[in-house]
Amino acid sequence: MSLSAEHNEHERIWWKEAVFYQVYPASFCDSNGNGWGDLPGLFSKIPYIASLGVDVVWLSPMFESPQIDMGYDISNYEAVNPSYGSVADVEALIKACHDSGMKLILDLVVNHTSDQHAWFKESRSSKENEKRHWYFWRPARYDEERRRMPPSNYRGYFAGSTWTWDEHTQEYYLHLYSPSQPDLNWESPTCRRAIYDSAVRFWLAKGIDGFRVDTVNKYSKHISFPDAPITDPTSDTQPAPQFWCNGPRIHEFIRELVDVMSEYRTYDGKELVTVGELSLTPEPEKVLEYVGREREELDMVFQFDITHLGQGTGSGFQDKYDFAEWTLPDMKRIVKKWQSFIEGTDGWTTVFNENHDNGRSISRFASDAPEWRVQSAKMLCLWLVAQTGTLFLYQGQEIGMINAPREWGIEDYKDVEALNFWDEAVKLAEDGTDPTRKERIMHGLRLMARDHARLPFQWDSSEHAGFSSGKPWMRVHDLYKQINAEAQEADGDSVLEFYKSMLKMRKEHKDVFVYGTFELVEPEDVSTFVFRKRYQDKTALAALNFTAFLQPAPPLVDLKLLVSSYPKTNPDTLQPFEGRIYINY
């Protein structure tokens, strides 16, 4: 068992105590001045990443790709996109991480490929091709007036139908995301074997330490593709995740995938790590089916309720960017749910509030106003480091990067999802179906669009924020001269230096912070977020003020102040956006 019968403790494994740092390569550091981040640029910043106290670098897709979805549309798993560098650059990066005492994991994107992948080109070449069944092809349906219709009425994640008509073979193919991202058919054993050889073994043989597994619960689908119930009468397409998430063979497929990974061990003999992107799985007992240690599937998963706060559905469908107001008690319930679900089990959880698919946490959960920006960043840092589970940070989070200015127009947004939702909003507004939709969607995009996380990293106050000597592929934040790593490295009171010290503190007190049990205090308080952590005879209390006003500090019994996000504190009052942690020694 993974839990000690005597103490009901979780098994201690290196990746549970590790801090992971996600790098989005296009936006991290450009070494050659072409405006596009690359692997040599990342290589040059390995000392910076190591200085944070990071244990694992998670590198988002750098594979060969037409970049319709920023590398999540892969055209060759065994090649690196020329804009990023070469396979040799990845090999050098693996060594640099290992030499610095860190590990490196890659994204595993095997629910779909690019439509430019050789496999799909063969598949669409004819109905008789041997790779035809590596993707989902279906004939058209016809309505009463003999108009051609897709095989089912599913709405995709990026708006529009999940089916695209192929004129050459006169059939539709399935894509949950962009039409340029056809879904692989995991029902095919030959397809699965090719995936394992090309996307998994190729990189494990080079010494990487594991994978972040993209869209991990979508490999098994209900391949009869029945129509979804009509929940939006105004649309021809309907949300249908029940037919492609957590399908009938999903655990079989994942166990087979993990068996392939188990053929390899990392350079130091420790086991590989897997973290899955598990969307649309709100039931803790269902999540435990993926991460229970004895099930031998995934080590941990990302559950996205926190990053979906404010989204209309949180599922990537029509009202995703139609912002829905939320309250602090809503956030508390989410944190409690995913902090507590592993108690008494052999499962594990993750802690994060940013990634490449969401707006910046300061702008979404606290305040990015100039007078509160630094305080908000530090408070949110304490909120994260005090929680149980494996901690994941996203590039720029450690310097307090914030959303793009609200003044930016839609022309400054680059993401395919944002632009598709905007185009749909324009159509629905102009045809009178939803007259206010443009304004509502733009408001949502300004808070939650994926573009905010993809702004170039702000290294210094020089032109283009030190990201590139040339014009960046995406506009640099207007405030880069005020928010950048170089200035913060020289300021002992900066967000960056605070993150470094807090990551060190988390490891020094890992018993209670990484492994402790979670207890929510005053769950309905709308201003402060207070929670208690316990591990045997150790207790810690986190008190966080999520407002710009003074709030009462919690009463203390046998606890002393360990850290505050402010240099001076009042024992009775939490200052605006102040975070504190108390502990018994």
Side-chain angles (χ1 to χ4, degrees):
M1 287 291 292
S2 295
L3 290 180
S4 161
E6 182 180 356
H7 298 297
N8 198 38
E9 294 176 3
H10 285 275
E11 178 185 5
R12 299 206 170 196
I13 306 173
W14 70 267
W15 45 261
K16 293 182 178 180
E17 301 168 11
V19 175
F20 287 65
Y21 184 88
Q22 182 186 0
V23 170
Y24 195 74
S27 301
F28 194 62
C29 183
D30 170 26
S31 70
N32 60 12
N34 68 354
W36 192 267
D38 50 40
L39 295 176
L42 168 56
F43 185 93
S44 72
K45 299 298 183 181
I46 288 299
Y48 166 84
I49 297 174
S51 75
L52 301 175
V54 164
D55 304 287
V56 185
V57 176
W58 155 24
L59 178 59
S60 289
M62 73 301 158
F63 311 100
E64 185 177 283
S65 165
Q67 299 291 320
I68 303 300
D69 188 23
M70 292 301 295
Y72 285 89
D73 49 327
I74 297 171
S75 54
N76 186 346
Y77 289 109
E78 300 171 33
V80 171
N81 209 54
S83 57
Y84 293 129
S86 66
V87 172
D89 289 325
V90 179
E91 293 170 339
L93 186 63
I94 294 169
K95 184 177 186 301
C97 286
H98 291 174
D99 289 348
S100 299
M102 300 186 296
K103 302 179 188 297
L104 178 70
I105 67 171
L106 301 182
D107 248 294
L108 182 62
V109 185
V110 289
N111 173 73
H112 48 266
T113 67
S114 166
D115 61 354
Q116 299 306 303
H117 197 293
W119 297 347
F120 187 71
K121 289 181 177 180
E122 286 191 52
S123 184
R124 81 188 310 176
S125 65
S126 77
K127 293 181 180 178
E128 290 72 39
N129 186 274
E130 62 179 9
K131 291 186 176 63
R132 183 70 172 183
H133 65 286
W134 286 25
Y135 296 84
F136 293 102
W137 293 94
R138 295 294 185 271
R141 297 187 299 178
Y142 293 88
D143 64 13
E144 295 173 352
E145 299 178 9
R146 296 299 298 167
R147 288 176 297 194
R148 190 180 70 225
M149 297 170 56
S152 63
N153 63 348
Y154 302 164
R155 177 183 173 89
Y157 281 87
F158 293 170
S161 174
T162 61
W163 297 96
T164 288
W165 178 251
D166 178 62
E167 194 67 33
H168 176 63
T169 57
Q170 296 287 294
E171 285 191 327
Y172 285 90
Y173 65 87
L174 178 75
H175 52 87
L176 299 186
Y177 297 91
S178 162
S180 65
Q181 295 165 286
D183 278 46
L184 287 160
N185 180 9
W186 277 66
E187 299 288 330
S188 164
T190 55
C191 178
R192 296 202 305 275
R193 285 195 292 270
I195 290 170
Y196 303 150
D197 286 344
S198 188
V200 180
R201 290 188 175 101
F202 180 86
W203 292 106
L204 289 177
K206 295 187 178 300
I208 67 165
D209 301 290
F211 291 101
R212 177 264 189 183
V213 190
D214 187 64
T215 59
V216 73
N217 57 338
K218 297 183 173 68
Y219 306 157
S220 175
K221 301 171 173 67
H222 292 268
I223 58 175
S224 61
F225 299 115
D227 267 350
I230 296 175
T231 56
D232 179 8
T234 68
S235 176
D236 293 332
T237 58
Q238 306 296 322
Q242 66 271 32
F243 297 127
W244 66 64
C245 273
N246 307 311
R249 299 185 66 188
I250 189 62
H251 295 289
E252 173 193 346
F253 292 156
I254 292 175
R255 282 192 293 271
E256 187 177 87
L257 172 63
V258 171
D259 283 346
V260 172
M261 294 183 189
S262 69
E263 300 168 9
Y264 295 82
R265 291 293 180 267
T266 57
Y267 65 100
D268 58 3
K270 293 180 180 178
E271 64 183 279
L272 302 172
V273 61
T274 55
V275 54
E277 181 189 29
L278 194 77
S279 63
L280 301 171
T281 310
E283 307 90 354
E285 62 275 13
K286 294 293 185 183
V287 176
L288 283 168
E289 293 179 4
Y290 289 90
V291 299
R293 193 75 174 147
E294 289 192 343
R295 292 185 62 89
E296 299 181 336
E297 294 188 25
L298 302 169
D299 294 320
M300 50 191 163
V301 296
F302 296 126
Q303 228 293 341
F304 296 99
D305 289 357
I306 277 291
T307 54
H308 288 163
L309 264 177
Q311 292 184 359
T313 63
S315 59
F317 300 113
Q318 187 160 342
D319 57 349
K320 176 178 180 180
Y321 291 113
D322 202 346
F323 179 70
E325 295 289 344
W326 57 273
T327 66
L328 194 59
D330 296 331
M331 174 188 280
K332 294 178 186 180
R333 283 187 285 273
I334 292 170
V335 172
K336 178 183 178 182
K337 178 180 180 180
W338 298 114
Q339 283 285 283
S340 303
F341 91 106
I342 60 170
E343 292 176 12
T345 78
D346 62 351
W348 196 242
T349 193
T350 55
V351 183
F352 68 101
N353 62 14
E354 290 195 17
N355 61 26
H356 63 291
D357 279 336
N358 294 278
R360 290 288 184 174
S361 58
I362 296 171
S363 301
R364 295 187 60 192
F365 304 136
S367 173
D368 59 12
E371 63 270 30
W372 303 126
R373 191 173 60 230
V374 170
Q375 291 88 337
S376 292
K378 293 180 178 181
M379 182 270 289
L380 290 173
C381 172
L382 287 181
W383 177 54
L384 288 176
V385 300
Q387 290 184 47
T388 294
T390 300
L391 178 59
F392 286 78
L393 301 178
Y394 180 73
Q395 65 182 47
Q397 185 170 357
E398 76 279 8
I399 63 171
M401 286 182 65
I402 59 176
N403 279 0
R406 294 187 60 83
E407 294 75 25
W408 286 16
I410 192 65
E411 66 276 5
D412 292 309
Y413 289 71
K414 303 293 186 182
D415 177 43
V416 60
E417 180 182 69
L419 298 178
N420 283 1
F421 270 81
W422 173 252
D423 289 345
E424 181 183 58
V426 170
K427 176 179 178 296
L428 292 174
E430 291 180 351
D431 69 12
T433 303
D434 191 348
T436 65
R437 189 164 185 82
K438 278 200 305 184
E439 291 74 17
R440 300 198 322 271
I441 295 302
M442 195 66 221
H443 175 62
L445 290 173
R446 285 168 174 154
L447 285 170
M448 301 180 292
R450 305 196 302 179
D451 292 271
H452 298 300
R454 303 175 183 190
L455 269 61
F457 192 100
Q458 294 149 212
W459 289 106
D460 58 41
S461 59
S462 66
E463 189 177 18
H464 309 313
F467 162 74
S468 176
S469 60
K471 182 179 179 180
W473 72 276
M474 189 176 188
R475 182 174 173 179
V476 171
H477 200 289
D478 297 356
L479 297 179
Y480 71 88
K481 292 185 178 181
Q482 288 76 41
I483 307 173
N484 66 74
E486 182 180 67
Q488 293 188 27
E489 285 181 316
D491 178 3
D493 194 37
S494 67
V495 174
L496 176 60
E497 295 306 307
F498 190 77
Y499 259 94
K500 290 179 182 179
S501 61
M502 291 305 99
L503 295 183
K504 182 179 179 182
M505 180 201 73
R506 175 177 167 87
K507 292 180 178 179
E508 290 173 349
H509 298 277
K510 65 183 178 183
D511 286 354
V512 70
F513 292 139
V514 176
Y515 294 103
T517 58
F518 178 94
E519 177 188 339
L520 188 59
V521 179
E522 296 188 12
E524 298 307 316
D525 188 306
V526 299
S527 300
T528 60
F529 192 150
V530 181
F531 59 90
R532 187 176 289 108
K533 298 291 297 296
R534 299 185 192 274
Y535 180 87
Q536 296 181 13
D537 59 348
K538 298 179 182 179
T539 301
L541 184 79
L544 311 153
N545 180 1
F546 273 75
T547 76
F549 305 96
L550 298 176
Q551 300 294 339
L556 303 174
V557 179
D558 299 326
L559 295 176
K560 297 179 180 180
L561 182 67
L562 176 64
V563 65
S564 168
S565 57
Y566 274 70
K568 296 182 180 180
T569 62
N570 181 320
D572 301 318
T573 307
L574 290 173
Q575 297 168 88
F577 297 106
E578 181 182 3
R580 293 182 194 171
I581 296 177
Y582 303 89
I583 200 166
N584 65 340
Y585 289 92

